[in-house]
Amino acid sequence: MDQITSFFTTKIPLGLWGKVVFKWITDNFDWFFRGLAWAIGIILDGLVNILLAVPPLLLIVVFAGIAYALQKSWKLALGTLLGFLLMYNQGLWKDTIQTLVLVCASTVVSMAVGVPMGIWAAHSPKVWRVLNPILDLMQTMPTYVYLIPALILFGLGMPSGMLVTIIFCAPAPLRMTYLGLTSIPKALIEAGQSFGATKRQLLWKVELPAALPTIMAGVTQCIMLSLSMVVIAGLIGAAGLGTQVVRALNNGPNGIPLGIESGTCIVILAIILDRVTRLSTGAAK
């Protein structure tokens, strides 16, 4: 009886255990995480500097042209043009570019990780049983909790923001890929098999084309999650519009104008990216 009472009255030191684990990781692998952060920082800074080297008005026209080329919609191209012009007008052009690079890079890496893992899970029930609770944990963990290990392992800056964003966003494309592949009608699979298709041919010529709309829907989800996480990552020094939101928050009532301006730019950027990716799949036609 005393043992039962002791269990309910004695705190399990989960936090201390976690601290010990992170201390061991930093003591033994700090060189790896700092090196990774350095490499990611060089790539992100390079992309930002390249885009900032282009005259803003020319780059805005290029963005509008890309939107039109992908969607064949002059309305979307015009909206893209006006949206980026407003961001430039608000004096937040550099922050917009930094956020755009961070979101695009995080989305590309998340898709590169999530899609293959989703394919693997769709073809292996055992793998899915292992991944499913891990994905649940990743998606239900409060976003601010991710900032603590990222700050400890990678320090302040855009690399930390990118890695945190990837961890937060990767489950979406993984789940959507799994859903798309497992929702393919069996008759379609059997038809491919009846024509003598190998497993590789079946994957590339039957399964992936059939699941493509669902997989691409994961791209849209990934972009939206990236934008939401990028704002939170501003708390650990991830440059961009999120930093401006944090700065506005710290200034109290005096930060209302900056908060409205940066928040509006984030919304516009989210709408542009969402429309471009959704329309490219035909989902929003």
Side-chain angles (χ1 to χ4, degrees):
M1 187 67 180
D2 292 338
Q3 293 178 345
I4 297 176
T5 304
S6 176
F7 175 79
F8 286 104
T9 57
T10 303
K11 179 181 178 180
I12 299 175
L14 294 177
L16 293 178
W17 293 344
K19 182 179 180 180
V20 171
V21 171
F22 275 104
K23 186 178 185 305
W24 180 83
I25 292 175
T26 53
D27 288 343
N28 293 276
F29 299 100
D30 183 67
W31 59 271
F32 170 77
F33 292 107
R34 296 297 174 177
L36 181 61
W38 175 79
I40 294 175
I42 288 179
I43 295 173
L44 294 178
D45 290 340
L47 293 173
V48 169
N49 291 333
I50 290 173
L51 292 177
L52 290 177
V54 180
L57 296 180
L58 176 59
L59 190 58
I60 290 172
V61 173
V62 171
F63 287 153
I66 292 174
Y68 180 80
L70 291 175
Q71 316 307 328
K72 298 298 185 289
S73 170
W74 67 268
K75 293 181 180 179
L76 179 59
L78 179 60
T80 301
L81 180 67
L82 295 177
F84 278 107
L85 283 175
L86 178 61
M87 298 178 205
Y88 176 68
N89 174 264
Q90 295 301 303
L92 296 172
W93 181 248
K94 181 178 179 179
D95 299 284
T96 299
I97 294 299
Q98 290 171 329
T99 298
L100 182 62
V101 168
L102 196 54
V103 169
C104 291
S106 300
T107 300
V108 169
V109 176
S110 296
M111 294 298 296
V113 173
V115 173
M117 292 293 290
I119 294 173
W120 187 22
H123 290 87
S124 176
K126 292 182 180 179
V127 172
W128 176 246
R129 283 197 294 269
V130 173
L131 286 178
N132 195 31
I134 297 176
L135 296 176
D136 290 339
L137 176 65
M138 293 171 66
Q139 291 185 303
T140 55
M141 182 73 71
T143 53
Y144 289 96
V145 176
Y146 288 119
L147 304 183
I148 301 173
L151 186 60
I152 294 173
L153 298 177
F154 301 101
L156 292 170
M158 290 184 69
S160 298
M162 177 179 170
L163 292 168
V164 167
T165 304
I166 291 170
I167 295 173
F168 181 66
C169 299
L174 198 160
R175 286 188 182 277
M176 295 303 289
T177 301
Y178 173 83
L179 176 63
L181 291 175
T182 54
S183 300
I184 299 174
K186 291 184 178 180
L188 189 61
I189 303 295
E190 293 172 353
Q193 293 172 338
S194 66
F195 282 99
T198 63
K199 289 185 178 180
R200 178 174 296 182
Q201 291 173 332
L202 200 63
L203 174 64
W204 287 100
K205 296 184 178 182
V206 178
E207 295 179 352
L208 287 179
L212 187 60
T214 305
I215 294 174
M216 292 303 294
V219 177
T220 301
Q221 287 192 8
C222 198
I223 290 174
M224 296 301 105
L225 291 172
S226 296
L227 274 168
S228 65
M229 194 62 188
V230 161
V231 175
I232 297 174
L235 293 170
I236 55 173
L241 296 171
T243 302
Q244 300 301 327
V245 174
V246 174
R247 186 176 300 168
L249 182 63
N250 291 334
N251 288 334
N254 295 328
I256 291 178
L258 179 59
I260 293 175
E261 293 166 2
S262 55
T264 301
C265 290
I266 292 172
V267 171
I268 293 173
L269 188 60
I271 292 174
I272 291 173
L273 293 175
D274 175 67
R275 294 298 184 270
V276 168
T277 54
R278 285 200 300 119
L279 288 174
S280 62
T281 68
K285 289 287 186 183

